[in-house]
Amino acid sequence: MNVFQRRESEVRSYIRSFPVLFEKGRGAQLFDREGRSYLDFFAGAGALNYGHNPEPMKQALIRYLETDGVTHSLDMATEAKRRFLALFEEIILKPRGLDYKVQFTGPTGANGVEAALKLARRVKQRRNVVAFTNAYHGLSLGALAATANEHYRHEAWVQRQDVSFVPYDGYLGPDVDTAAVLRKLLDDGSSGVDLPAAVILETVQAEGGVNVASHRWLQEVARICRERDVLLIVDDIQVGCGRTGTFFSFERAGFTPDIVVLSKSISGYGLPMSLVLIRPDIDQWQPGEHTGTFRGNNLAFVAAAEALSFWATAEFAETVSARGRRLGASLQDLIGDFPAQLTRVRGVGMIWGLEFKQSAVCQAVAREAFARRLVIETCGSERNVLKFLPPLITDETMLAAGVEIVRESIRQVVE
Ligand code: PMP
């Protein structure tokens, strides 16, 4: 029995799926203690869009530490934070015509979701929130109440208090317009769905099975919110920061949320950071009303500021989109090779889901792929979707190699 088994809580999970002692990471690869390399198509669950130890961020961090840059400062002003905010304004907000205040909310995605939900209730003075089937917003109590899969609440006595779940785009099949269902539920005084303070959604449900909402549906939900004075919160924690091919996942869909939550890859280096973007007129917090010791990690600011330069020109976004399209096409080919096992492929940019008919086969394939040194996770309520989430910087050769490992793994499992 090793020290992990002896001392780490039974709640440990990825260590069970990927039972290797990792020591180093570089680009799209991890290395174990024996120096063996692993292709990483999990990318820290979306926290490593720029790969492991990306050089520009690494050099900036080394310089900052060598010059005794402030590491911890609560929410005081520091040069690292000033630079991040100025570049975020210049590179991300202004060119997109967006006007948001920025609230730093502590290390994890769930911290950001908590703040967003709390602010929405405070501003609208209403309790209810609408979330969607298969949603994942985090596992602290407030965020968990808006997370659909009951597996995460199992035996933890968490109630769905003040959250109403409604069907996501496609949940009732391709022919049912679930935006119309939402409208009906909100307008019908006998539906049991109270007028909410906010609707919270992911434009692509990542943990929920890589479900991609259509632009039309997203625009319709935005209109429903606007017409009823309901705030729209986009949880861009996993699919923001370029994952879908644009910095924000909602950019191409043609609507502007009232509140946006970012985390995971915003620090650009896997460092803990989350923030909430707030339409200026609803930034109604009183000073110190929502506080916390770790609101803005200066090392994360340093790396995050550097990461923003990837977005200063259109080139990086174009590369991500082009590679993503090819990745999607090569997964489509896999369906042709294994029609008895695979049902469909869905995704956008560099997030793709390969759906299996049987969950057990999907999980066996993930295990087999790991034996062949590809780190890849399953998702979806049935865990029957293999989730491709490589770092955005993964080159064509490595993407093709990963898909090839999956092909061999499926063959090994089913033949
Ligand atoms: N929202 C979404 C869409 C996520 O994917 C995640 C993490 N998987 C979270 C919220 C929660 O983030 P964290 O685990 O950092 O609390």
Side-chain angles (χ1 to χ4, degrees), residues 39-100:
L39 251 181
D40 185 2
F41 275 22
F42 187 30
L48 296 165
N49 279 6
Y50 309 96
H52 294 268
N53 290 300
E55 207 53 34
M57 287 75 130
K58 181 167 121 184
Q59 293 309 327
L61 286 168
I62 291 170
R63 275 196 307 277
Y64 192 74
L65 287 171
E66 275 178 354
T67 50
D68 290 334
V70 177
T71 54
H72 187 269
S73 53
L74 299 159
D75 71 348
M76 289 181 248
T78 62
E79 172 53 22
K81 186 199 256 188
R82 189 204 62 74
R83 183 153 184 272
F84 170 76
L85 273 174
L87 289 174
F88 193 75
E89 183 175 61
E90 205 50 44
I91 297 175
I92 304 298
L93 296 181
K94 277 191 188 162
R96 291 167 179 78
L98 295 171
D99 185 14
Y100 287 120

Short mmCIF file of all heavy atoms in Angstrom, two decimals, residues 39-100:
data_model
loop_
_atom_site.label_atom_id
_atom_site.label_comp_id
_atom_site.label_asym_id
_atom_site.label_seq_id
_atom_site.Cartn_x
_atom_site.Cartn_y
_atom_site.Cartn_z
N LEU A 39 0.59 11.33 -23.76
CA LEU A 39 -0.12 12.41 -24.44
C LEU A 39 -1.27 12.84 -23.54
O LEU A 39 -2.04 11.99 -23.07
CB LEU A 39 -0.71 11.87 -25.75
CG LEU A 39 -0.10 12.31 -27.06
CD1 LEU A 39 -0.86 11.68 -28.20
CD2 LEU A 39 -0.09 13.82 -27.18
N ASP A 40 -1.41 14.13 -23.34
CA ASP A 40 -2.43 14.60 -22.40
C ASP A 40 -3.62 15.21 -23.13
O ASP A 40 -3.59 16.37 -23.53
CB ASP A 40 -1.79 15.62 -21.44
CG ASP A 40 -2.76 16.04 -20.35
OD1 ASP A 40 -3.89 15.53 -20.33
OD2 ASP A 40 -2.38 16.90 -19.53
N PHE A 41 -4.68 14.42 -23.29
CA PHE A 41 -5.91 14.92 -23.92
C PHE A 41 -6.96 15.26 -22.85
O PHE A 41 -8.16 15.27 -23.13
CB PHE A 41 -6.49 13.88 -24.89
CG PHE A 41 -5.88 13.95 -26.28
CD1 PHE A 41 -4.64 14.51 -26.50
CD2 PHE A 41 -6.58 13.43 -27.37
CE1 PHE A 41 -4.08 14.57 -27.78
CE2 PHE A 41 -6.04 13.48 -28.66
CZ PHE A 41 -4.79 14.05 -28.86
N PHE A 42 -6.50 15.54 -21.66
CA PHE A 42 -7.38 15.89 -20.56
C PHE A 42 -7.09 17.32 -20.12
O PHE A 42 -7.98 18.08 -19.74
CB PHE A 42 -7.17 14.90 -19.42
CG PHE A 42 -8.12 15.01 -18.28
CD1 PHE A 42 -9.42 15.47 -18.44
CD2 PHE A 42 -7.73 14.63 -17.00
CE1 PHE A 42 -10.29 15.57 -17.36
CE2 PHE A 42 -8.60 14.70 -15.93
CZ PHE A 42 -9.87 15.18 -16.11
N ALA A 43 -5.80 17.69 -20.22
CA ALA A 43 -5.36 19.08 -20.01
C ALA A 43 -5.92 19.69 -18.72
O ALA A 43 -6.49 20.79 -18.73
CB ALA A 43 -5.74 19.93 -21.23
N GLY A 44 -5.74 18.96 -17.63
CA GLY A 44 -6.18 19.49 -16.34
C GLY A 44 -7.65 19.85 -16.35
O GLY A 44 -8.05 20.86 -15.78
N ALA A 45 -8.45 19.02 -16.99
CA ALA A 45 -9.90 19.26 -17.12
C ALA A 45 -10.16 20.64 -17.72
O ALA A 45 -11.13 21.32 -17.38
CB ALA A 45 -10.61 19.11 -15.77
N GLY A 46 -9.28 21.06 -18.60
CA GLY A 46 -9.48 22.35 -19.28
C GLY A 46 -8.70 23.49 -18.66
O GLY A 46 -8.84 24.64 -19.08
N ALA A 47 -7.84 23.19 -17.67
CA ALA A 47 -7.06 24.25 -17.02
C ALA A 47 -5.75 24.53 -17.74
O ALA A 47 -5.04 25.47 -17.39
CB ALA A 47 -6.79 23.88 -15.57
N LEU A 48 -5.43 23.70 -18.75
CA LEU A 48 -4.12 23.82 -19.40
C LEU A 48 -4.26 24.04 -20.90
O LEU A 48 -3.66 23.34 -21.71
CB LEU A 48 -3.28 22.56 -19.11
CG LEU A 48 -2.93 22.33 -17.63
CD1 LEU A 48 -2.45 20.90 -17.40
CD2 LEU A 48 -1.89 23.33 -17.16
N ASN A 49 -5.05 25.05 -21.26
CA ASN A 49 -5.26 25.32 -22.70
C ASN A 49 -3.96 25.62 -23.42
O ASN A 49 -3.85 25.37 -24.62
CB ASN A 49 -6.22 26.50 -22.89
CG ASN A 49 -7.68 26.08 -22.75
OD1 ASN A 49 -7.95 24.93 -22.41
ND2 ASN A 49 -8.58 27.00 -22.99
N TYR A 50 -2.97 26.19 -22.71
CA TYR A 50 -1.71 26.54 -23.36
C TYR A 50 -0.65 25.46 -23.12
O TYR A 50 0.53 25.67 -23.37
CB TYR A 50 -1.22 27.91 -22.87
CG TYR A 50 -2.30 28.97 -22.97
CD1 TYR A 50 -3.09 29.29 -21.86
CD2 TYR A 50 -2.56 29.62 -24.18
CE1 TYR A 50 -4.11 30.24 -21.95
CE2 TYR A 50 -3.57 30.57 -24.28
CZ TYR A 50 -4.35 30.87 -23.16
OH TYR A 50 -5.36 31.80 -23.25
N GLY A 51 -1.07 24.33 -22.58
CA GLY A 51 -0.18 23.21 -22.34
C GLY A 51 0.53 23.29 -21.00
O GLY A 51 0.32 24.22 -20.21
N HIS A 52 1.37 22.30 -20.74
CA HIS A 52 2.14 22.27 -19.49
C HIS A 52 3.37 23.16 -19.63
O HIS A 52 4.09 23.10 -20.62
CB HIS A 52 2.62 20.84 -19.20
CG HIS A 52 1.51 19.88 -18.91
ND1 HIS A 52 1.05 19.61 -17.64
CD2 HIS A 52 0.74 19.12 -19.73
CE1 HIS A 52 0.08 18.73 -17.68
NE2 HIS A 52 -0.14 18.41 -18.94
N ASN A 53 3.60 23.98 -18.63
CA ASN A 53 4.79 24.85 -18.57
C ASN A 53 5.06 25.63 -19.86
O ASN A 53 6.18 25.59 -20.39
CB ASN A 53 6.03 24.02 -18.19
CG ASN A 53 5.95 23.58 -16.74
OD1 ASN A 53 5.89 24.40 -15.83
ND2 ASN A 53 5.93 22.27 -16.52
N PRO A 54 4.07 26.34 -20.38
CA PRO A 54 4.30 27.13 -21.60
C PRO A 54 5.40 28.17 -21.36
O PRO A 54 5.40 28.84 -20.33
CB PRO A 54 2.95 27.80 -21.87
CG PRO A 54 2.20 27.73 -20.58
CD PRO A 54 2.70 26.53 -19.85
N GLU A 55 6.32 28.24 -22.32
CA GLU A 55 7.55 29.01 -22.13
C GLU A 55 7.34 30.50 -21.77
O GLU A 55 7.95 30.97 -20.80
CB GLU A 55 8.41 28.86 -23.40
CG GLU A 55 9.89 29.02 -23.19
CD GLU A 55 10.50 28.13 -22.11
OE1 GLU A 55 10.04 26.97 -21.92
OE2 GLU A 55 11.44 28.59 -21.45
N PRO A 56 6.49 31.25 -22.50
CA PRO A 56 6.38 32.68 -22.15
C PRO A 56 5.89 32.90 -20.72
O PRO A 56 6.39 33.79 -20.01
CB PRO A 56 5.35 33.23 -23.15
CG PRO A 56 5.09 32.15 -24.14
CD PRO A 56 5.62 30.87 -23.61
N MET A 57 4.94 32.07 -20.28
CA MET A 57 4.40 32.22 -18.92
C MET A 57 5.45 31.78 -17.91
O MET A 57 5.64 32.40 -16.87
CB MET A 57 3.13 31.38 -18.74
CG MET A 57 1.92 31.93 -19.46
SD MET A 57 1.97 31.67 -21.24
CE MET A 57 0.39 30.97 -21.54
N LYS A 58 6.16 30.69 -18.22
CA LYS A 58 7.19 30.19 -17.30
C LYS A 58 8.27 31.25 -17.08
O LYS A 58 8.65 31.54 -15.93
CB LYS A 58 7.81 28.92 -17.90
CG LYS A 58 8.86 28.29 -17.02
CD LYS A 58 9.17 26.90 -17.53
CE LYS A 58 10.62 26.76 -17.89
NZ LYS A 58 10.89 25.44 -18.48
N GLN A 59 8.72 31.86 -18.17
CA GLN A 59 9.78 32.88 -18.04
C GLN A 59 9.28 34.08 -17.23
O GLN A 59 10.02 34.63 -16.40
CB GLN A 59 10.27 33.33 -19.43
CG GLN A 59 11.00 32.26 -20.21
CD GLN A 59 12.13 31.60 -19.41
OE1 GLN A 59 12.78 32.23 -18.57
NE2 GLN A 59 12.33 30.31 -19.64
N ALA A 60 8.03 34.47 -17.46
CA ALA A 60 7.48 35.61 -16.71
C ALA A 60 7.40 35.29 -15.22
O ALA A 60 7.70 36.14 -14.37
CB ALA A 60 6.10 35.97 -17.26
N LEU A 61 7.03 34.05 -14.90
CA LEU A 61 6.94 33.65 -13.49
C LEU A 61 8.33 33.63 -12.85
O LEU A 61 8.51 34.10 -11.72
CB LEU A 61 6.29 32.26 -13.38
CG LEU A 61 4.79 32.22 -13.64
CD1 LEU A 61 4.30 30.79 -13.81
CD2 LEU A 61 4.03 32.89 -12.48
N ILE A 62 9.30 33.09 -13.58
CA ILE A 62 10.67 33.04 -13.04
C ILE A 62 11.17 34.46 -12.76
O ILE A 62 11.68 34.75 -11.67
CB ILE A 62 11.62 32.29 -14.01
CG1 ILE A 62 11.24 30.79 -14.06
CG2 ILE A 62 13.08 32.46 -13.61
CD1 ILE A 62 11.94 30.00 -15.16
N ARG A 63 10.96 35.34 -13.72
CA ARG A 63 11.40 36.74 -13.53
C ARG A 63 10.71 37.37 -12.32
O ARG A 63 11.34 38.04 -11.51
CB ARG A 63 11.04 37.58 -14.78
CG ARG A 63 12.05 37.51 -15.90
CD ARG A 63 11.83 38.65 -16.92
NE ARG A 63 10.47 38.75 -17.45
CZ ARG A 63 10.01 38.00 -18.46
NH1 ARG A 63 10.80 37.12 -19.06
NH2 ARG A 63 8.77 38.15 -18.90
N TYR A 64 9.42 37.11 -12.18
CA TYR A 64 8.65 37.72 -11.08
C TYR A 64 9.19 37.23 -9.73
O TYR A 64 9.38 38.02 -8.80
CB TYR A 64 7.18 37.35 -11.23
CG TYR A 64 6.25 38.13 -10.33
CD1 TYR A 64 5.96 39.46 -10.59
CD2 TYR A 64 5.66 37.54 -9.22
CE1 TYR A 64 5.10 40.19 -9.78
CE2 TYR A 64 4.81 38.25 -8.39
CZ TYR A 64 4.53 39.58 -8.68
OH TYR A 64 3.68 40.30 -7.86
N LEU A 65 9.45 35.93 -9.64
CA LEU A 65 9.95 35.37 -8.38
C LEU A 65 11.36 35.87 -8.09
O LEU A 65 11.71 36.18 -6.95
CB LEU A 65 9.91 33.84 -8.42
CG LEU A 65 8.52 33.23 -8.31
CD1 LEU A 65 8.56 31.73 -8.59
CD2 LEU A 65 7.91 33.48 -6.93
N GLU A 66 12.17 35.97 -9.14
CA GLU A 66 13.55 36.41 -8.94
C GLU A 66 13.64 37.86 -8.47
O GLU A 66 14.62 38.25 -7.85
CB GLU A 66 14.35 36.23 -10.23
CG GLU A 66 14.89 34.81 -10.35
CD GLU A 66 15.65 34.56 -11.65
OE1 GLU A 66 15.66 35.46 -12.51
OE2 GLU A 66 16.20 33.47 -11.78
N THR A 67 12.60 38.63 -8.77
CA THR A 67 12.65 40.04 -8.35
C THR A 67 11.74 40.27 -7.13
O THR A 67 11.32 41.41 -6.86
CB THR A 67 12.21 40.96 -9.51
OG1 THR A 67 10.96 40.47 -10.02
CG2 THR A 67 13.23 40.98 -10.63
N ASP A 68 11.46 39.18 -6.40
CA ASP A 68 10.66 39.28 -5.17
C ASP A 68 9.30 39.94 -5.37
O ASP A 68 8.85 40.74 -4.54
CB ASP A 68 11.43 40.04 -4.07
CG ASP A 68 12.61 39.23 -3.54
OD1 ASP A 68 12.55 37.98 -3.63
OD2 ASP A 68 13.58 39.84 -3.07
N GLY A 69 8.65 39.62 -6.48
CA GLY A 69 7.29 40.13 -6.70
C GLY A 69 6.37 39.67 -5.56
O GLY A 69 6.57 38.60 -4.98
N VAL A 70 5.39 40.49 -5.24
CA VAL A 70 4.46 40.15 -4.14
C VAL A 70 3.68 38.89 -4.53
O VAL A 70 3.15 38.82 -5.63
CB VAL A 70 3.45 41.30 -3.94
CG1 VAL A 70 2.42 40.95 -2.88
CG2 VAL A 70 4.17 42.58 -3.58
N THR A 71 3.62 37.91 -3.65
CA THR A 71 2.84 36.72 -3.98
C THR A 71 1.43 36.79 -3.41
O THR A 71 0.47 36.44 -4.08
CB THR A 71 3.51 35.42 -3.48
OG1 THR A 71 3.77 35.55 -2.09
CG2 THR A 71 4.81 35.15 -4.25
N HIS A 72 1.29 37.24 -2.18
CA HIS A 72 -0.05 37.29 -1.60
C HIS A 72 -0.40 38.70 -1.15
O HIS A 72 0.40 39.35 -0.48
CB HIS A 72 -0.18 36.33 -0.42
CG HIS A 72 -1.59 36.25 0.06
ND1 HIS A 72 -2.09 37.07 1.06
CD2 HIS A 72 -2.62 35.50 -0.37
CE1 HIS A 72 -3.37 36.81 1.22
NE2 HIS A 72 -3.72 35.86 0.38
N SER A 73 -1.60 39.15 -1.50
CA SER A 73 -1.92 40.56 -1.21
C SER A 73 -3.42 40.78 -1.01
O SER A 73 -3.91 41.89 -1.20
CB SER A 73 -1.44 41.43 -2.37
OG SER A 73 -1.97 40.92 -3.59
N LEU A 74 -4.17 39.73 -0.64
CA LEU A 74 -5.64 39.87 -0.53
C LEU A 74 -6.14 40.57 -1.80
O LEU A 74 -5.75 40.16 -2.88
CB LEU A 74 -6.00 40.65 0.75
CG LEU A 74 -5.54 39.95 2.03
CD1 LEU A 74 -5.43 40.92 3.18
CD2 LEU A 74 -6.44 38.78 2.39
N ASP A 75 -6.95 41.64 -1.64
CA ASP A 75 -7.31 42.33 -2.89
C ASP A 75 -6.70 43.73 -2.95
O ASP A 75 -7.27 44.65 -3.53
CB ASP A 75 -8.83 42.33 -3.14
CG ASP A 75 -9.58 43.25 -2.19
OD1 ASP A 75 -8.97 43.71 -1.20
OD2 ASP A 75 -10.77 43.51 -2.44
N MET A 76 -5.51 43.85 -2.38
CA MET A 76 -4.79 45.12 -2.50
C MET A 76 -4.29 45.28 -3.94
O MET A 76 -4.25 44.33 -4.70
CB MET A 76 -3.61 45.14 -1.54
CG MET A 76 -4.03 45.26 -0.09
SD MET A 76 -2.60 45.31 0.99
CE MET A 76 -2.76 43.76 1.83
N ALA A 77 -3.88 46.51 -4.25
CA ALA A 77 -3.36 46.76 -5.60
C ALA A 77 -1.93 46.25 -5.70
O ALA A 77 -1.11 46.50 -4.81
CB ALA A 77 -3.40 48.25 -5.89
N THR A 78 -1.65 45.50 -6.73
CA THR A 78 -0.26 45.09 -7.01
C THR A 78 0.01 45.34 -8.49
O THR A 78 -0.92 45.42 -9.30
CB THR A 78 -0.02 43.58 -6.73
OG1 THR A 78 -0.86 42.82 -7.60
CG2 THR A 78 -0.29 43.21 -5.28
N GLU A 79 1.27 45.39 -8.83
CA GLU A 79 1.65 45.61 -10.23
C GLU A 79 1.17 44.42 -11.09
O GLU A 79 0.71 44.61 -12.22
CB GLU A 79 3.17 45.79 -10.33
CG GLU A 79 3.73 45.84 -11.74
CD GLU A 79 3.07 46.88 -12.65
OE1 GLU A 79 2.47 47.84 -12.16
OE2 GLU A 79 3.15 46.68 -13.89
N ALA A 80 1.24 43.21 -10.53
CA ALA A 80 0.81 42.03 -11.29
C ALA A 80 -0.68 42.13 -11.64
O ALA A 80 -1.10 41.84 -12.77
CB ALA A 80 1.10 40.77 -10.50
N LYS A 81 -1.47 42.55 -10.66
CA LYS A 81 -2.91 42.67 -10.91
C LYS A 81 -3.21 43.82 -11.87
O LYS A 81 -4.05 43.70 -12.77
CB LYS A 81 -3.67 42.87 -9.60
CG LYS A 81 -5.17 42.86 -9.78
CD LYS A 81 -5.89 43.50 -8.64
CE LYS A 81 -6.51 42.47 -7.74
NZ LYS A 81 -7.38 43.06 -6.72
N ARG A 82 -2.51 44.95 -11.69
CA ARG A 82 -2.73 46.11 -12.56
C ARG A 82 -2.47 45.72 -14.02
O ARG A 82 -3.26 46.01 -14.91
CB ARG A 82 -1.77 47.25 -12.16
CG ARG A 82 -2.06 48.57 -12.88
CD ARG A 82 -0.86 49.50 -12.94
NE ARG A 82 0.26 48.91 -13.69
CZ ARG A 82 0.31 48.79 -15.01
NH1 ARG A 82 -0.68 49.22 -15.76
NH2 ARG A 82 1.35 48.22 -15.59
N ARG A 83 -1.36 45.00 -14.23
CA ARG A 83 -1.00 44.63 -15.60
C ARG A 83 -2.05 43.68 -16.20
O ARG A 83 -2.46 43.85 -17.34
CB ARG A 83 0.39 43.99 -15.58
CG ARG A 83 0.90 43.65 -16.94
CD ARG A 83 2.42 43.65 -17.03
NE ARG A 83 2.80 43.40 -18.42
CZ ARG A 83 2.96 42.18 -18.93
NH1 ARG A 83 2.83 41.11 -18.16
NH2 ARG A 83 3.27 42.03 -20.21
N PHE A 84 -2.49 42.71 -15.40
CA PHE A 84 -3.50 41.79 -15.91
C PHE A 84 -4.77 42.56 -16.31
O PHE A 84 -5.30 42.37 -17.40
CB PHE A 84 -3.84 40.69 -14.88
CG PHE A 84 -5.04 39.88 -15.30
CD1 PHE A 84 -4.92 38.93 -16.31
CD2 PHE A 84 -6.30 40.12 -14.76
CE1 PHE A 84 -6.04 38.22 -16.77
CE2 PHE A 84 -7.41 39.42 -15.19
CZ PHE A 84 -7.28 38.46 -16.20
N LEU A 85 -5.25 43.41 -15.41
CA LEU A 85 -6.50 44.14 -15.69
C LEU A 85 -6.37 45.02 -16.93
O LEU A 85 -7.27 45.07 -17.77
CB LEU A 85 -6.88 45.01 -14.48
CG LEU A 85 -7.72 44.32 -13.41
CD1 LEU A 85 -7.90 45.25 -12.20
CD2 LEU A 85 -9.09 43.89 -13.94
N ALA A 86 -5.23 45.71 -17.03
CA ALA A 86 -5.03 46.62 -18.17
C ALA A 86 -5.01 45.83 -19.48
O ALA A 86 -5.63 46.23 -20.47
CB ALA A 86 -3.74 47.41 -17.99
N LEU A 87 -4.32 44.68 -19.48
CA LEU A 87 -4.26 43.88 -20.71
C LEU A 87 -5.59 43.21 -21.01
O LEU A 87 -5.98 43.07 -22.18
CB LEU A 87 -3.14 42.83 -20.61
CG LEU A 87 -1.71 43.41 -20.65
CD1 LEU A 87 -0.68 42.32 -20.41
CD2 LEU A 87 -1.45 44.09 -22.00
N PHE A 88 -6.30 42.79 -19.98
CA PHE A 88 -7.62 42.17 -20.19
C PHE A 88 -8.55 43.19 -20.86
O PHE A 88 -9.29 42.86 -21.79
CB PHE A 88 -8.19 41.69 -18.85
CG PHE A 88 -9.37 40.78 -18.99
CD1 PHE A 88 -9.21 39.45 -19.38
CD2 PHE A 88 -10.66 41.24 -18.75
CE1 PHE A 88 -10.30 38.61 -19.53
CE2 PHE A 88 -11.76 40.41 -18.89
CZ PHE A 88 -11.58 39.09 -19.29
N GLU A 89 -8.48 44.41 -20.39
CA GLU A 89 -9.30 45.49 -20.97
C GLU A 89 -8.90 45.72 -22.44
O GLU A 89 -9.75 45.77 -23.33
CB GLU A 89 -9.05 46.76 -20.16
CG GLU A 89 -9.85 47.95 -20.55
CD GLU A 89 -9.58 49.10 -19.58
OE1 GLU A 89 -8.43 49.56 -19.47
OE2 GLU A 89 -10.53 49.53 -18.92
N GLU A 90 -7.59 45.80 -22.66
CA GLU A 90 -7.06 46.17 -23.97
C GLU A 90 -7.23 45.05 -25.01
O GLU A 90 -7.65 45.29 -26.13
CB GLU A 90 -5.56 46.47 -23.78
CG GLU A 90 -4.95 47.40 -24.79
CD GLU A 90 -5.75 48.67 -24.98
OE1 GLU A 90 -6.19 49.27 -23.98
OE2 GLU A 90 -5.94 49.05 -26.15
N ILE A 91 -6.89 43.82 -24.60
CA ILE A 91 -6.83 42.72 -25.59
C ILE A 91 -8.16 41.98 -25.70
O ILE A 91 -8.55 41.55 -26.77
CB ILE A 91 -5.69 41.73 -25.22
CG1 ILE A 91 -4.34 42.44 -25.27
CG2 ILE A 91 -5.70 40.50 -26.12
CD1 ILE A 91 -3.17 41.60 -24.81
N ILE A 92 -8.85 41.83 -24.57
CA ILE A 92 -10.07 41.01 -24.60
C ILE A 92 -11.35 41.86 -24.69
O ILE A 92 -12.18 41.64 -25.57
CB ILE A 92 -10.13 40.07 -23.36
CG1 ILE A 92 -8.86 39.21 -23.27
CG2 ILE A 92 -11.40 39.23 -23.37
CD1 ILE A 92 -8.64 38.27 -24.43
N LEU A 93 -11.53 42.80 -23.77
CA LEU A 93 -12.82 43.50 -23.71
C LEU A 93 -13.02 44.50 -24.85
O LEU A 93 -14.02 44.42 -25.58
CB LEU A 93 -12.98 44.21 -22.34
CG LEU A 93 -13.04 43.29 -21.12
CD1 LEU A 93 -13.21 44.10 -19.84
CD2 LEU A 93 -14.18 42.27 -21.24
N LYS A 94 -12.07 45.41 -25.02
CA LYS A 94 -12.28 46.51 -25.99
C LYS A 94 -12.52 46.02 -27.42
O LYS A 94 -13.50 46.43 -28.04
CB LYS A 94 -11.11 47.48 -25.95
CG LYS A 94 -11.23 48.51 -24.83
CD LYS A 94 -10.19 49.59 -25.01
CE LYS A 94 -10.16 50.52 -23.82
NZ LYS A 94 -8.90 51.29 -23.79
N PRO A 95 -11.66 45.13 -27.94
CA PRO A 95 -11.90 44.71 -29.34
C PRO A 95 -13.25 44.02 -29.54
O PRO A 95 -13.76 43.98 -30.66
CB PRO A 95 -10.75 43.73 -29.63
CG PRO A 95 -9.75 43.97 -28.56
CD PRO A 95 -10.48 44.50 -27.37
N ARG A 96 -13.82 43.47 -28.48
CA ARG A 96 -15.11 42.78 -28.60
C ARG A 96 -16.28 43.69 -28.25
O ARG A 96 -17.43 43.24 -28.18
CB ARG A 96 -15.11 41.53 -27.69
CG ARG A 96 -14.17 40.47 -28.18
CD ARG A 96 -13.90 39.38 -27.15
NE ARG A 96 -13.00 38.39 -27.71
CZ ARG A 96 -11.69 38.55 -27.84
NH1 ARG A 96 -11.10 39.66 -27.43
NH2 ARG A 96 -10.94 37.60 -28.37
N GLY A 97 -15.98 44.94 -27.95
CA GLY A 97 -17.03 45.88 -27.58
C GLY A 97 -17.73 45.50 -26.29
O GLY A 97 -18.91 45.79 -26.09
N LEU A 98 -17.00 44.83 -25.38
CA LEU A 98 -17.62 44.38 -24.13
C LEU A 98 -17.25 45.33 -22.99
O LEU A 98 -16.12 45.82 -22.93
CB LEU A 98 -17.15 42.96 -23.77
CG LEU A 98 -17.57 41.86 -24.74
CD1 LEU A 98 -16.85 40.55 -24.41
CD2 LEU A 98 -19.09 41.66 -24.70
N ASP A 99 -18.21 45.56 -22.12
CA ASP A 99 -17.97 46.43 -20.96
C ASP A 99 -18.37 45.65 -19.71
O ASP A 99 -19.57 45.48 -19.44
CB ASP A 99 -18.82 47.70 -21.12
CG ASP A 99 -18.52 48.70 -20.00
OD1 ASP A 99 -17.51 48.52 -19.29
OD2 ASP A 99 -19.32 49.65 -19.84
N TYR A 100 -17.39 45.14 -19.00
CA TYR A 100 -17.66 44.38 -17.77
C TYR A 100 -16.75 44.87 -16.65
O TYR A 100 -15.59 45.21 -16.89
CB TYR A 100 -17.35 42.89 -17.96
CG TYR A 100 -18.33 42.10 -18.81
CD1 TYR A 100 -17.91 41.47 -19.97
CD2 TYR A 100 -19.66 41.95 -18.41
CE1 TYR A 100 -18.78 40.70 -20.73
CE2 TYR A 100 -20.53 41.18 -19.18
CZ TYR A 100 -20.09 40.56 -20.33
OH TYR A 100 -20.96 39.81 -21.07
#
